[in-house]
Short mmCIF file of all heavy atoms in Angstrom, two decimals:
data_model
loop_
_atom_site.label_atom_id
_atom_site.label_comp_id
_atom_site.label_asym_id
_atom_site.label_seq_id
_atom_site.Cartn_x
_atom_site.Cartn_y
_atom_site.Cartn_z
N TRP A 1 217.41 141.15 79.90
CA TRP A 1 216.09 141.71 79.95
C TRP A 1 215.14 141.21 81.05
O TRP A 1 214.32 141.90 81.65
CB TRP A 1 215.44 141.77 78.69
CG TRP A 1 215.13 140.35 78.10
CD1 TRP A 1 215.87 139.52 77.48
CD2 TRP A 1 213.91 139.69 78.56
NE1 TRP A 1 215.18 138.27 77.22
CE2 TRP A 1 213.91 138.50 77.94
CE3 TRP A 1 212.82 139.96 79.27
CZ2 TRP A 1 212.97 137.37 78.02
CZ3 TRP A 1 211.88 138.95 79.43
CH2 TRP A 1 211.84 137.78 78.74
N LEU A 2 215.33 139.93 81.42
CA LEU A 2 214.43 139.30 82.21
C LEU A 2 214.65 139.82 83.73
O LEU A 2 213.74 140.06 84.42
CB LEU A 2 214.47 137.71 82.13
CG LEU A 2 213.61 136.90 83.08
CD1 LEU A 2 212.23 137.26 82.93
CD2 LEU A 2 213.78 135.40 82.96
N PRO A 3 215.83 139.71 84.31
CA PRO A 3 216.02 140.34 85.60
C PRO A 3 215.66 141.71 85.77
O PRO A 3 215.10 142.27 86.73
CB PRO A 3 217.55 140.09 85.92
CG PRO A 3 217.89 138.96 85.01
CD PRO A 3 217.07 139.10 83.82
N SER A 4 215.93 142.55 84.56
CA SER A 4 215.46 143.93 84.61
C SER A 4 213.92 144.10 84.55
O SER A 4 213.50 144.96 85.24
CB SER A 4 216.12 144.57 83.25
OG SER A 4 217.45 144.60 83.21
N ALA A 5 213.27 143.25 83.88
CA ALA A 5 211.80 143.18 83.80
C ALA A 5 211.21 142.94 85.26
O ALA A 5 210.34 143.55 85.67
CB ALA A 5 211.27 142.22 82.98
N ILE A 6 211.99 141.95 85.95
CA ILE A 6 211.55 141.64 87.28
C ILE A 6 211.76 142.84 88.25
O ILE A 6 210.96 143.12 89.10
CB ILE A 6 212.38 140.44 87.77
CG1 ILE A 6 211.86 139.16 87.07
CG2 ILE A 6 212.20 140.32 89.41
CD1 ILE A 6 212.83 137.96 87.38
N TYR A 7 212.78 143.61 88.03
CA TYR A 7 213.16 144.79 88.87
C TYR A 7 212.15 145.89 88.56
O TYR A 7 211.74 146.58 89.46
CB TYR A 7 214.49 145.30 88.64
CG TYR A 7 214.87 146.64 89.25
CD1 TYR A 7 215.16 146.56 90.72
CD2 TYR A 7 214.62 147.79 88.65
CE1 TYR A 7 215.54 147.77 91.27
CE2 TYR A 7 214.98 149.03 89.30
CZ TYR A 7 215.45 148.98 90.67
OH TYR A 7 215.62 150.16 91.21
N LEU A 8 211.74 146.09 87.28
CA LEU A 8 210.81 147.10 86.97
C LEU A 8 209.45 147.06 87.52
O LEU A 8 208.70 147.91 87.55
CB LEU A 8 210.76 147.23 85.51
CG LEU A 8 211.96 147.85 84.76
CD1 LEU A 8 211.87 147.87 83.29
CD2 LEU A 8 212.28 149.27 85.22
N ALA A 9 209.11 145.79 88.00
CA ALA A 9 207.78 145.60 88.75
C ALA A 9 207.87 146.32 90.05
O ALA A 9 206.69 146.19 90.69
CB ALA A 9 207.56 144.14 88.86
N ILE A 10 208.82 147.07 90.32
CA ILE A 10 208.85 147.75 91.59
C ILE A 10 207.81 148.86 91.59
O ILE A 10 207.20 149.11 92.71
CB ILE A 10 210.19 148.40 91.82
CG1 ILE A 10 210.32 148.95 93.22
CG2 ILE A 10 210.58 149.46 90.77
CD1 ILE A 10 211.80 149.60 93.68
N PHE A 11 207.39 149.39 90.47
CA PHE A 11 206.37 150.45 90.48
C PHE A 11 205.00 149.84 90.80
O PHE A 11 204.16 150.38 91.54
CB PHE A 11 206.20 151.05 88.99
CG PHE A 11 207.49 151.89 88.66
CD1 PHE A 11 208.54 151.37 87.92
CD2 PHE A 11 207.58 153.20 89.12
CE1 PHE A 11 209.60 152.10 87.63
CE2 PHE A 11 208.75 154.08 88.80
CZ PHE A 11 209.70 153.49 88.07
N THR A 12 204.75 148.63 90.21
CA THR A 12 203.42 147.82 90.57
C THR A 12 203.46 147.65 92.14
O THR A 12 202.47 147.73 92.79
CB THR A 12 203.40 146.57 89.83
OG1 THR A 12 203.41 146.89 88.44
CG2 THR A 12 202.09 145.81 90.14
N SER A 13 204.68 147.01 92.66
CA SER A 13 204.69 146.86 94.12
C SER A 13 204.45 148.02 94.89
O SER A 13 203.67 148.00 95.94
CB SER A 13 206.02 146.19 94.39
OG SER A 13 206.14 145.76 95.80
N ILE A 14 205.03 149.21 94.49
CA ILE A 14 204.84 150.45 95.22
C ILE A 14 203.45 150.90 95.33
O ILE A 14 202.86 151.24 96.43
CB ILE A 14 205.74 151.47 94.79
CG1 ILE A 14 207.29 151.23 95.14
CG2 ILE A 14 205.39 152.88 95.42
CD1 ILE A 14 208.26 152.12 94.36
N PHE A 15 202.83 150.92 94.16
CA PHE A 15 201.48 151.45 94.07
C PHE A 15 200.43 150.53 94.88
O PHE A 15 199.61 151.02 95.60
CB PHE A 15 200.98 151.35 92.58
CG PHE A 15 199.51 151.85 92.40
CD1 PHE A 15 199.26 153.22 92.37
CD2 PHE A 15 198.66 151.02 92.08
CE1 PHE A 15 197.98 153.58 92.11
CE2 PHE A 15 197.25 151.37 91.86
CZ PHE A 15 197.07 152.68 91.84
N ASN A 16 200.58 149.18 94.79
CA ASN A 16 199.67 148.36 95.48
C ASN A 16 199.98 148.35 97.08
O ASN A 16 199.10 148.16 97.90
CB ASN A 16 199.65 146.94 94.96
CG ASN A 16 198.94 146.90 93.66
OD1 ASN A 16 197.79 146.78 93.59
ND2 ASN A 16 199.87 147.05 92.53
N MET A 17 201.27 148.56 97.49
CA MET A 17 201.62 148.57 98.85
C MET A 17 201.12 149.91 99.42
O MET A 17 200.63 149.91 100.53
CB MET A 17 203.25 148.71 98.94
CG MET A 17 203.69 148.56 100.35
SD MET A 17 203.18 147.22 101.34
CE MET A 17 204.27 145.93 100.45
N THR A 18 200.92 151.04 98.61
CA THR A 18 200.38 152.16 99.11
C THR A 18 198.85 151.94 99.41
O THR A 18 198.28 152.38 100.41
CB THR A 18 200.50 153.22 98.00
OG1 THR A 18 201.86 153.56 97.68
CG2 THR A 18 199.86 154.57 98.51
N LEU A 19 198.16 151.23 98.45
CA LEU A 19 196.80 150.98 98.71
C LEU A 19 196.60 150.05 99.97
O LEU A 19 195.65 150.32 100.79
CB LEU A 19 196.19 150.21 97.55
CG LEU A 19 196.22 150.95 96.21
CD1 LEU A 19 195.54 150.12 95.06
CD2 LEU A 19 195.60 152.27 96.43
N MET A 20 197.53 149.06 100.17
CA MET A 20 197.44 148.32 101.38
C MET A 20 197.60 149.06 102.60
O MET A 20 196.86 148.89 103.65
CB MET A 20 198.48 147.18 101.31
CG MET A 20 198.20 146.08 100.28
SD MET A 20 199.50 144.84 100.29
CE MET A 20 199.59 144.30 102.05
N ILE A 21 198.62 150.10 102.70
CA ILE A 21 198.70 150.80 103.94
C ILE A 21 197.73 151.64 104.21
O ILE A 21 197.24 151.86 105.29
CB ILE A 21 200.04 151.60 103.72
CG1 ILE A 21 201.34 150.67 103.58
CG2 ILE A 21 200.33 152.62 104.86
CD1 ILE A 21 202.61 151.45 103.38
N GLU A 22 197.11 152.30 103.05
CA GLU A 22 195.86 153.11 103.29
C GLU A 22 194.74 152.27 103.89
O GLU A 22 193.96 152.82 104.70
CB GLU A 22 195.54 153.83 101.94
CG GLU A 22 196.51 154.85 101.43
CD GLU A 22 196.11 155.28 100.01
OE1 GLU A 22 195.12 154.81 99.52
OE2 GLU A 22 196.79 156.33 99.61
N CYS A 23 194.59 151.12 103.27
CA CYS A 23 193.56 150.27 103.76
C CYS A 23 193.71 149.90 105.17
O CYS A 23 192.73 149.95 106.06
CB CYS A 23 193.33 149.07 102.87
SG CYS A 23 191.94 148.06 103.19
N ILE A 24 194.95 149.35 105.59
CA ILE A 24 195.14 148.97 106.93
C ILE A 24 195.02 150.10 108.00
O ILE A 24 194.47 149.86 109.03
CB ILE A 24 196.47 148.33 106.94
CG1 ILE A 24 196.54 147.05 106.11
CG2 ILE A 24 196.97 148.03 108.41
CD1 ILE A 24 197.98 146.47 105.95
N VAL A 25 195.68 151.26 107.73
CA VAL A 25 195.71 152.29 108.69
C VAL A 25 194.58 153.18 108.77
O VAL A 25 194.17 153.51 109.89
CB VAL A 25 197.05 153.13 108.38
CG1 VAL A 25 197.26 154.34 109.49
CG2 VAL A 25 198.33 152.27 108.41
N TYR A 26 193.97 153.59 107.62
CA TYR A 26 192.87 154.59 107.59
C TYR A 26 191.50 154.11 107.39
O TYR A 26 190.59 154.91 107.84
CB TYR A 26 193.28 155.68 106.61
CG TYR A 26 194.58 156.44 106.93
CD1 TYR A 26 195.86 156.08 106.29
CD2 TYR A 26 194.56 157.47 107.77
CE1 TYR A 26 196.97 156.72 106.51
CE2 TYR A 26 195.87 158.02 108.12
CZ TYR A 26 196.93 157.84 107.49
OH TYR A 26 198.08 158.44 107.71
N ALA A 27 191.33 153.05 106.84
CA ALA A 27 190.04 152.58 106.50
C ALA A 27 189.14 152.23 107.71
O ALA A 27 189.78 151.68 108.69
CB ALA A 27 189.98 151.53 105.50
N ALA A 28 187.88 152.38 107.72
CA ALA A 28 187.03 152.07 108.84
C ALA A 28 186.35 150.73 108.80
O ALA A 28 185.52 150.46 109.53
CB ALA A 28 185.96 153.19 109.11
N ASP A 29 186.71 149.92 107.68
CA ASP A 29 186.02 148.74 107.45
C ASP A 29 186.43 147.75 108.52
O ASP A 29 187.43 147.87 109.27
CB ASP A 29 186.55 148.11 106.15
CG ASP A 29 186.15 148.98 104.91
OD1 ASP A 29 186.68 150.13 104.86
OD2 ASP A 29 185.12 148.65 104.19
N GLU A 30 185.63 146.61 108.73
CA GLU A 30 185.97 145.55 109.59
C GLU A 30 187.20 144.84 109.15
O GLU A 30 187.55 144.83 107.90
CB GLU A 30 184.77 144.63 109.64
CG GLU A 30 183.46 145.20 110.22
CD GLU A 30 183.59 145.48 111.65
OE1 GLU A 30 184.46 145.01 112.32
OE2 GLU A 30 182.85 146.50 112.05
N ILE A 31 187.79 144.29 110.15
CA ILE A 31 189.08 143.60 109.86
C ILE A 31 188.88 142.38 108.81
O ILE A 31 189.66 142.27 107.85
CB ILE A 31 189.75 142.90 111.09
CG1 ILE A 31 190.07 144.03 112.12
CG2 ILE A 31 190.92 142.04 110.77
CD1 ILE A 31 190.66 143.47 113.38
N GLU A 32 187.81 141.65 108.79
CA GLU A 32 187.49 140.59 107.96
C GLU A 32 187.37 141.23 106.41
O GLU A 32 187.84 140.65 105.42
CB GLU A 32 186.23 139.90 108.13
CG GLU A 32 186.33 139.02 109.47
CD GLU A 32 186.13 139.85 110.74
OE1 GLU A 32 185.95 141.07 110.58
OE2 GLU A 32 186.12 139.34 111.86
N ASN A 33 186.70 142.43 106.38
CA ASN A 33 186.59 143.02 105.05
C ASN A 33 187.97 143.49 104.57
O ASN A 33 188.19 143.49 103.35
CB ASN A 33 185.56 144.21 105.21
CG ASN A 33 184.14 143.76 105.43
OD1 ASN A 33 183.75 142.54 105.16
ND2 ASN A 33 183.36 144.60 106.08
N LYS A 34 188.76 144.00 105.39
CA LYS A 34 190.02 144.56 104.92
C LYS A 34 190.87 143.41 104.35
O LYS A 34 191.56 143.52 103.46
CB LYS A 34 190.73 145.22 106.18
CG LYS A 34 190.33 146.54 106.47
CD LYS A 34 191.11 147.10 107.63
CE LYS A 34 190.64 148.47 108.05
NZ LYS A 34 191.46 149.11 109.08
N VAL A 35 190.90 142.28 105.17
CA VAL A 35 191.71 141.09 104.65
C VAL A 35 191.10 140.65 103.27
O VAL A 35 191.93 140.38 102.34
CB VAL A 35 191.52 139.91 105.75
CG1 VAL A 35 192.13 138.66 105.19
CG2 VAL A 35 192.18 140.33 106.95
N TYR A 36 189.83 140.55 103.14
CA TYR A 36 189.24 140.10 101.85
C TYR A 36 189.58 141.08 100.77
O TYR A 36 190.05 140.62 99.67
CB TYR A 36 187.67 140.00 102.01
CG TYR A 36 187.04 139.77 100.58
CD1 TYR A 36 187.10 138.64 99.97
CD2 TYR A 36 186.31 140.91 100.13
CE1 TYR A 36 186.58 138.42 98.71
CE2 TYR A 36 185.71 140.69 98.86
CZ TYR A 36 185.82 139.52 98.14
OH TYR A 36 185.26 139.27 96.88
N ILE A 37 189.40 142.40 100.98
CA ILE A 37 189.63 143.37 100.03
C ILE A 37 191.09 143.43 99.50
O ILE A 37 191.43 143.50 98.35
CB ILE A 37 189.20 144.75 100.46
CG1 ILE A 37 187.67 144.90 100.66
CG2 ILE A 37 189.63 145.85 99.47
CD1 ILE A 37 187.21 146.06 101.35
N MET A 38 192.04 143.25 100.45
CA MET A 38 193.42 143.33 100.04
C MET A 38 193.88 142.10 99.41
O MET A 38 194.65 142.11 98.40
CB MET A 38 194.36 143.44 101.38
CG MET A 38 194.19 144.89 102.05
SD MET A 38 195.42 145.08 103.33
CE MET A 38 194.83 143.90 104.60
N SER A 39 193.36 140.91 99.86
CA SER A 39 193.72 139.61 99.05
C SER A 39 193.12 139.54 97.77
O SER A 39 193.70 139.03 96.80
CB SER A 39 193.43 138.43 99.85
OG SER A 39 191.94 138.43 100.17
N ASP A 40 192.02 140.20 97.57
CA ASP A 40 191.23 140.28 96.31
C ASP A 40 191.88 141.23 95.35
O ASP A 40 191.71 141.16 94.14
CB ASP A 40 189.72 140.55 96.61
CG ASP A 40 188.96 140.40 95.32
OD1 ASP A 40 188.94 139.39 94.69
OD2 ASP A 40 188.38 141.46 94.84
N GLY A 41 192.64 142.22 95.94
CA GLY A 41 193.12 143.31 94.99
C GLY A 41 194.58 143.56 94.93
O GLY A 41 195.17 143.31 93.92
N CYS A 42 195.11 143.95 96.01
CA CYS A 42 196.49 144.55 96.05
C CYS A 42 197.58 143.62 96.68
O CYS A 42 198.71 144.05 96.65
CB CYS A 42 196.48 145.96 96.59
SG CYS A 42 195.77 145.98 98.21
N LEU A 43 197.23 142.62 97.33
CA LEU A 43 198.21 141.77 98.04
C LEU A 43 199.18 141.10 97.19
O LEU A 43 200.42 141.26 97.26
CB LEU A 43 197.54 140.72 98.95
CG LEU A 43 198.50 139.85 99.69
CD1 LEU A 43 199.34 140.62 100.63
CD2 LEU A 43 197.79 138.69 100.42
#
């Protein structure tokens, strides 16, 4: 069950990776703000 639980975290990884790509590519924030927001939330 433990390796399976590690694998199932793929949904968490996908969701937060989506937020990271949206923030990096489309957001108009400053680079410093992007780095802080991503490390504070979805990295």
Side-chain angles (χ1 to χ4, degrees):
W1 63 268
L2 180 58
S4 299
I6 292 174
Y7 175 84
L8 290 176
I10 190 172
F11 292 96
T12 302
S13 187
I14 290 172
F15 179 74
N16 289 276
M17 185 63 70
T18 303
L19 299 182
M20 284 181 58
I21 295 174
E22 291 176 357
C23 183
I24 293 172
V25 177
Y26 294 100
D29 299 75
E30 297 293 333
I31 295 179
E32 293 81 1
N33 293 336
K34 287 185 178 182
V35 172
Y36 168 75
I37 292 170
M38 287 188 295
S39 61
D40 185 60
C42 53
L43 179 62

